[in-house]
Amino acid sequence: MKLDPQQQVLLLELATTQRLHESSGKAPESPEQAELTKATNALARQRSATHAAQRAVDDMEREILRIQADEARLRSRIADNKKQLMAATDPSTRKDLNKDLYTTKSRLNDLLSELAEAHNEIHALRNNLDLANQRLADAEQAFDAAQAAKDAAPAVPTAADREHRMAEIRQSLPADIIAAYDAQRNENSVGVAAFNGRSCGGCFIILPAGDIAAIRGAAADELPQCPDCGSYLVRT
Ligand SMILES: [Zn+2]
């Protein structure tokens, strides 16, 4: 079959579009859309990780405030005990006051070590929050870049776009070529395939060297057929 090389490209586009149209019915996801979906999910995960890190800091800050309030209460109780001890003369009262002073001091010591530990923890939690915020900023930046790339990418053709384009190509090519394409397509569901120099894009078989040489050596306006599946080959 003979066809002008520029029209061969159109015929291949028709065959490729028709195969896509009939195999999936729906446009495959563009790499830009896939990247945007990935960035959207990563951003959502990082937002939730950052919220969790912020909550941990907030909880620990409240814990420190609680400890500090307890500390103030214990210190004032100690001061009160000491004041009462200066005035008290009754041995039993003094004994009770000394006992309470001892217990309160001991509780204060426990509380102070709890406070020191809480300060260590909040330091680690704040570092963790800084890191989470940095990662969130990175994820936001990656999302913006993916969104911009998606917006800049050409729209993926819809089924209606493909039908329109197929009709357009059919009208622009000679009727006998279209008839030969349809006949071959009825036979092997491909019709016309790309030849990449080694294998047929219809059956994906790497052809023997002799067939490859014959296909490569055919005139530019010739559409050789795949010796395996019969598809007309457009050399790309
Ligand atoms: Zn083939």
Side-chain angles (χ1 to χ4, degrees), residues 103-161:
T103 317
T104 310
K105 277 182 173 170
S106 151
R107 278 172 60 198
L108 179 62
N109 276 339
D110 289 348
L111 203 62
L112 290 178
S113 64
E114 206 185 315
L115 186 61
E117 206 174 296
H119 275 133
N120 282 339
E121 273 182 47
I122 193 121
H123 183 72
L125 290 172
R126 283 189 181 130
N127 280 345
N128 190 42
L129 179 60
D130 286 349
L131 192 65
N133 275 324
Q134 183 54 53
R135 284 186 179 148
L136 181 59
D138 291 348
E140 275 166 352
Q141 207 173 21
F143 172 82
D144 288 347
Q147 181 71 63
K150 159 96 188 349
D151 291 347
V156 174
T158 63
D161 291 339

Side-chain angles (χ1 to χ4, degrees), residues 197-208:
R198 293 177 70 223
S199 63
C200 160
C203 59
F204 301 107
I205 283 185
I206 294 176
L207 300 173

Side-chain angles (χ1 to χ4, degrees), residues 68-119:
Q68 286 171 337
D70 283 354
E71 182 195 349
R73 265 194 298 276
L74 291 178
R75 285 196 191 282
S76 114
R77 184 164 179 163
I78 289 168
D80 193 47
N81 276 334
K82 284 179 176 168
K83 210 169 113 190
Q84 287 190 56
L85 269 169
M86 283 201 284
T89 50
D90 174 54
S92 157
T93 308
R94 291 192 62 85
K95 193 182 166 200
D96 286 348
L97 284 170
N98 271 318
K99 194 178 164 199
D100 194 69
L101 182 60
Y102 176 81
T103 317
T104 310
K105 277 182 173 170
S106 151
R107 278 172 60 198
L108 179 62
N109 276 339
D110 289 348
L111 203 62
L112 290 178
S113 64
E114 206 185 315
L115 186 61
E117 206 174 296
H119 275 133

Side-chain angles (χ1 to χ4, degrees), residues 188 190 193-194 199-205 207 225-231 233:
N188 72 351
V190 177
S199 63
C200 160
C203 59
F204 301 107
I205 283 185
L207 300 173
Q225 280 181 277
C226 170
D228 187 70
C229 72
S231 294
L233 295 174

